[in-house]
Amino acid sequence: MPDADSPRATAREAITLLTGAAGFTEHRPPPRPLPPDGPLGWAGYDAARERASARTGEEESVVYGTGVVGDRACVLISFEFGFLGGSLGRNTGDRLAAAYELALTRRLPLVALVATGGSRMQEGMVALTQLQRVAVASTRLRAAGLPQIAVVRDPTTGGGWATVGAGADVVLALPGAQVGFAGSRVRPPHADPYAYSAEGQFAAGQVDAVVPADELAATVTQWLRALGPHEDLPAAPVPRALPTAGVGTGSAAGGGAVAPLPGTGREAVARARDPRRPRAEAYLADYFAVRLPLHGDRSGATDPGLLCGLGLRADGQPVAYVAQCGTPTRPAGYRAAARTIRLADRLGVPVLTLVDTPGAANDAEAERAGAGAAIADTFAAIAAARVPVTTLVIGEGGSGGALALAAPENTHVTVDSYFSVIAPELAAAILKRPPSETGATADQLRLRPQDLVELGFALSIVG
C-alpha cells in the first residue's frame, strides 16, 4: 500500500485508510450490460474499459458497501481514479444510486471518498444525466435525516465535485488536492491554480476542513458521532458563567469572580464592550470536549467573526453551535449560520447560539453581498427549526444583527451583556441629543440584563 498521503491511493486503499482492521463489505448492483462501445458506439470504448479493468482490478470507477469507521457503521463510496479518471458513466450511476439507497434502507450515514475527473465523454449525455440521479438520491437521503460526508481527494473536479462532493453536508479535503468544477485541461490558461486547490476552496468557504490523511479516520469518526442519526436529543444546556477577570465594579468583579449586575445602562454597555470579558472562544472551549467547525457560506465567502459547527460535550451529546465573536457580523456569517441551523434541524441536533455583536456589518461591501437577505434567512432558519435552540447573550446585543441569532422564548443573558434596539450612541444621534446624554439614553432603552428579564426577552441571567 502506498503512503497514506499519496494523492493517487486506490479506491480500496482510501477505504482502508478509514476502516482499518474493521473491514469493508462490498456491495454491487445487478449487472446491466452496455451496448457495444457504449451508448454512443464510441470506437475503442470497450477496449479502454478492459484496459482500465486490467490495470486497476475494478469493473467500474466506483466501489461501495458498508463498513465501520471508528465505532460507527456507515455506507462508504470510493472512487477509483485509475479507472478512466474516476469518471461517471451509466454503470457508475447505478452504483452511486445503489449506495445511496443502501444508506437509506439501513438508515446509515454515507461517506464518499471522491476522486474524479467528471462525466465520461464516451457516454455523452447518458453519462451527464447520472449527475441528476445522484442529486435525486442525495435529496432523498437528506429528507430522511441521514448525514452525508465527502472526503475530496486528488483530483475532484467536474460533476463529481458538483454533486457527491460539494453536495455533502460536510466537506473534508486532503491537503494539496485539486478541487474545483473546472479540471486542469478546461480552465482558463492563466487561472490561479490556488483557486482550484483544497486550500483555496477552504479559503473561499467551500470546504469545511483540510485534513491530513493520517488524521482522517479520527476526524471522520468524530463527525459521524456528531451527525448521527439521532433521536430525541435534549435541548442544549445553557453555558455556565465564566469568570470576568476584573470586568465591572466592586470587589466581586476582581480575581476571576463573576461580576455583579450593572447599575446603569451606561455601565452595562461598557462591560459588554470590555476586552477583558469572556468571548465566544472561551465559552465554546469550556462547553465542548470536541469541536468540529463548519467553514464558510458555500457561496464563496467566510466571516472569521462568526464560528459555526457541531460539537460533542463531555457526555457525548452533540450540539450545533453558532457563535458571534464581538465583531459586526457579515453576510457570509449569517449564511453560514443559517446553513448550520438547517443542518442541525434536519439531523435532529439541538442548537446553541452565542450572541455578541455590535450589529450587522453595514458597509457598502456588506450591502453588495446581500446583508438584508442573509439576515432574513437566518431569522427564517431559527423560526423554522424543529429542534430546540438555546441562546446565551455573552456581550453586545446590537439590534437586528444580534436578534437574528436569538431563540424566541429561550434566550438567556450574562451579567456582562446588554441587548438594545439600537446602540445608545446612535439612538442619541437620531434623537439629536448631545453625546453627554448617551448614558441617559442607555438607561431609557432598558438594555441591562435585569431589564431584559423584566421585559420578558430573557429567561434568566447567567452568573
Side-chain angles (χ1 to χ4, degrees), residues 262-290:
T264 65
R266 182 192 291 272
E267 182 188 345
V269 172
R271 282 169 52 171
R273 294 174 179 173
D274 194 309
R276 295 170 295 172
R277 68 161 171 81
R279 303 283 166 156
E281 279 285 359
Y283 278 97
L284 294 175
D286 182 70
Y287 194 80
F288 289 113
V290 174

Side-chain angles (χ1 to χ4, degrees), residues 352-458:
L352 169 70
T353 66
L354 299 180
V355 170
D356 183 11
T357 179
N362 59 4
D363 53 75
E365 180 183 352
E367 294 296 341
R368 285 192 292 267
I375 296 168
D377 195 42
T378 307
F379 271 114
I382 286 185
R386 296 158 296 179
V387 295
V389 181
T390 302
T391 297
L392 180 63
V393 185
I394 62 171
E396 293 195 78
S399 193
L403 190 66
L405 290 177
E409 301 179 357
N410 195 19
T411 291
H412 307 260
V413 293
T414 70
V415 296
D416 295 323
S417 69
Y418 79 88
F419 218 117
S420 178
V421 64
I422 190 171
E425 295 88 351
L426 298 179
I430 290 172
L431 296 171
K432 299 181 180 179
R433 294 176 177 177
S436 61
E437 294 189 25
T438 298
T441 304
D443 289 334
Q444 284 185 290
L445 288 169
R446 296 199 64 195
L447 47 71
R448 301 173 303 167
Q450 58 268 45
D451 296 324
L452 299 173
V453 172
E454 291 176 9
L455 290 169
F457 170 74

Side-chain angles (χ1 to χ4, degrees), residues 36-293:
D37 278 333
L40 304 184
W42 187 288
Y45 180 44
D46 284 348
R49 286 178 54 84
E50 290 173 3
R51 289 193 299 271
S53 182
R55 184 169 57 253
T56 64
E58 304 294 350
E59 297 176 358
E60 250 305 333
S61 59
V62 159
V63 174
Y64 79 97
T66 56
V68 177
V69 179
D71 57 355
R72 298 288 161 156
C74 60
V75 170
L76 288 155
I77 294 172
S78 190
F79 283 70
E80 176 54 68
F81 189 78
F83 193 104
L84 300 180
S87 56
L88 280 70
R90 191 197 70 181
N91 288 353
T92 322
D94 287 348
R95 292 187 173 213
L96 290 172
Y100 282 90
E101 185 64 28
L102 181 63
L104 186 64
T105 301
R106 299 200 180 182
R107 290 203 58 78
L108 292 173
L110 183 140
V111 179
L113 301 159
V114 190
T116 174
S119 299
R120 194 170 298 169
M121 61 184 176
Q122 295 94 331
E123 294 189 27
M125 287 303 298
V126 173
L128 190 64
T129 56
Q130 303 311 307
L131 305 182
Q132 294 173 320
R133 292 182 70 190
V134 171
V136 169
S138 177
T139 299
R140 292 183 64 208
L141 207 59
R142 191 174 292 113
L146 296 168
Q148 301 170 51
I149 300 172
V151 178
V152 292
R153 299 148 57 207
D154 183 50
T156 297
T157 62
W161 164 239
T163 52
V164 185
D169 299 315
V170 176
V171 182
L172 309 176
L174 291 179
Q178 179 189 169
V179 181
F181 187 65
S184 59
R185 298 185 183 181
V186 297
R187 67 182 64 141
H190 301 296
D192 179 7
Y194 180 73
Y196 303 87
S197 68
E199 292 75 10
Q201 295 286 7
F202 175 79
Q206 313 287 4
V207 164
D208 291 305
V210 178
V211 183
D214 59 0
E215 299 175 13
L216 192 60
T219 301
V220 172
T221 298
Q222 291 176 335
W223 270 114
L224 290 172
R225 289 172 181 164
L227 295 172
H230 305 290
E231 293 182 5
D232 302 322
L233 289 176
V238 180
R240 64 181 179 178
L242 296 182
T244 56
V247 180
T249 60
S251 59
V258 175
L261 289 170
T264 65
R266 182 192 291 272
E267 182 188 345
V269 172
R271 282 169 52 171
R273 294 174 179 173
D274 194 309
R276 295 170 295 172
R277 68 161 171 81
R279 303 283 166 156
E281 279 285 359
Y283 278 97
L284 294 175
D286 182 70
Y287 194 80
F288 289 113
V290 174
R291 279 168 53 193
L292 301 164

